[in-house]
Amino acid sequence: MIAVADSKLARYAEEHHLAGLTAPTLEALAANRTGYSVDKAQRFLAFQQRIDTELLKHRIITENRYTAWFRRGEQSFEQVRAFIVQFSVFSNQFLVAQLYKMINADTLEGMRASKEILANEIGVVFNAGRKRPSPRDAGQQVDPELVSTEGTVEGGVFHFRAAHFEWLLRIAGELGLGFQDLGNRRHGTPSTLHFCDELIRLYGNERYAITQAASYAVENWAAAGFWRELIDGLIRYNARTGSNLPLAFFTWHDRLEAQHAQHTQEELEELYFTRDIDENDFIRYGNEMLDGVAVFWDGLDEQRRALARVA
């Protein structure tokens, strides 16, 4: 749960036994906003306990065998290549799921939130209030390490080289891979394609309740630390082999996900207080999404073991 910094809200939470709720929810409760009540808040906290035990303890969040191995930095050249190819398929095919999520949004606000992610993925840099680049800078290479993880795509500048797929392409080039070797479904293993299809089925579902459950599951998986494990493994691989694989794709996402935890929790609470939520369905579909995630990583784990046997 997210700690509340405001002393008045903290006292309100303590008086009403609501410790653990985020500041926006406490503000809404204190203001008696429509749909918000202390009784419903207590029910939400009980629901959160269910989520913590029945969803967020999914094995792919608590124990990812592949990323635990990857972190050691013992990968062979072939294992790193295979990982980058499969990750590029997932990353590129995620655009399809995100497009479905945008199209199937049931509010303008929800559509805009999905557009933010989609636009950033394809190369619109977040506008964090910095000076707008001059036209002559627009064609220059964008260093992902310097690209903001904060702000909005509104007023942001599009760069081809800021597309996340092109960041992966830079890594692939160091491994002897080219554009034709990445991203397309034909390069995906059955486990990778299963994950991509589950993202479309659940994360991009036309039913708002399903897509929100899948989105919550995906965000909590992404914030659980796997990015850091991949970064550590690649740093160690570079040091061990004398390679110079650029890591910006991974370090940028790690910084981004570190900021998403609070937003994800705030969105869940707003969902609970403003919509009718079937708690069992939410946990069910969230687990189905995490099962799909697990298939992806398990497939990578099987692939790296097979490559080790061949070597």
Side-chain angles (χ1 to χ4, degrees):
M1 288 290 188
I2 309 299
V4 177
D6 187 289
S7 58
K8 290 183 179 179
L9 290 180
R11 285 197 299 272
Y12 180 89
E14 183 177 359
E15 290 171 3
H16 293 86
H17 307 289
L18 299 177
L21 292 176
T22 62
T25 299
L26 291 171
E27 290 171 355
L29 287 164
N32 294 314
R33 190 176 302 165
T34 301
Y36 287 77
S37 68
V38 172
D39 180 63
K40 192 166 187 178
Q42 295 289 357
R43 294 200 302 273
F44 171 79
L45 290 173
F47 177 43
Q48 183 67 60
Q49 288 183 337
R50 286 193 62 195
I51 290 174
D52 292 345
T53 57
E54 297 176 35
L55 179 60
L56 300 185
K57 284 186 169 51
H58 193 288
R59 70 174 178 85
I60 208 57
I61 292 179
T62 62
E63 187 181 3
N64 186 327
R65 292 189 300 269
Y66 180 81
T67 54
W69 163 80
F70 196 95
R71 188 175 201 172
R72 302 203 300 263
E74 299 170 355
Q75 309 91 322
S76 68
F77 178 80
E78 290 74 17
Q79 287 169 327
V80 174
R81 276 172 56 105
F83 162 70
I84 292 298
V85 170
Q86 294 311 307
F87 212 89
S88 77
V89 174
F90 148 56
S91 181
N92 219 22
Q93 298 301 313
F94 173 73
L95 298 176
V96 180
Q98 189 62 44
L99 179 60
Y100 271 104
K101 191 171 188 288
M102 183 196 79
I103 291 171
N104 290 327
D106 66 346
T107 65
L108 179 59
E109 182 183 34
M111 175 174 277
R112 286 181 174 179
S114 292
K115 280 183 180 179
E116 285 270 3
I117 296 172
L118 184 60
N120 180 251
E121 286 277 342
I122 65 174
V124 181
V125 176
F126 286 136
N127 177 10
R130 299 175 180 174
K131 180 181 178 183
R132 195 182 188 92
S134 66
R136 68 180 181 180
D137 293 332
Q140 301 300 312
Q141 179 168 329
V142 176
D143 183 352
E145 292 285 12
L146 303 179
V147 171
S148 176
T149 56
E150 300 177 345
T152 172
V153 296
E154 180 104 22
V157 178
F158 171 81
H159 300 273
F160 283 115
R161 291 181 181 273
H164 297 191
F165 180 78
E166 294 206 20
W167 299 358
L168 278 174
L169 189 59
R170 291 174 58 194
I171 304 173
E174 297 292 326
L175 297 166
L177 297 166
F179 181 83
Q180 296 296 331
D181 302 310
L182 303 179
N184 197 282
R185 284 184 66 94
R186 67 177 179 272
H187 301 307
T189 63
S191 56
T192 296
L193 296 182
H194 174 81
F195 175 38
C196 295
D197 291 341
E198 285 295 87
L199 280 168
I200 294 171
R201 182 178 75 88
L202 297 165
Y203 182 85
N205 198 279
E206 61 183 13
R207 284 182 54 195
Y208 185 80
I210 295 177
T211 191
Q212 287 303 105
S215 181
Y216 182 83
V218 164
E219 290 294 348
N220 276 277
W221 155 62
F226 86 84
W227 289 107
R228 187 69 250 174
E229 290 181 306
L230 296 177
I231 293 165
D232 289 348
L234 290 170
I235 289 173
R236 288 168 179 153
Y237 174 83
N238 278 344
R240 178 173 60 82
T241 64
S243 302
N244 189 31
L245 299 181
L247 306 184
F249 174 88
F250 299 98
T251 56
W252 186 89
H253 281 89
D254 184 52
R255 294 199 308 273
L256 180 70
E257 295 304 337
Q259 300 171 28
H260 274 191
Q262 179 164 349
H263 295 155
T264 300
Q265 189 60 35
E266 290 171 358
E267 289 169 1
L268 172 63
E269 292 177 16
E270 182 181 10
L271 179 70
Y272 191 87
F273 283 94
T274 60
R275 305 267 185 151
D276 292 326
I277 299 298
D278 185 314
E279 296 183 9
N280 292 329
D281 276 357
F282 187 93
I283 291 173
R284 169 195 165 191
Y285 290 118
N287 274 307
E288 285 187 15
M289 187 69 262
L290 292 178
D291 287 344
V293 174
V295 168
F296 172 66
W297 292 112
D298 289 348
L300 283 170
D301 201 46
E302 292 171 6
Q303 184 184 56
R304 66 97 175 173
R305 292 175 188 276
L307 288 170
R309 288 193 294 270
V310 170

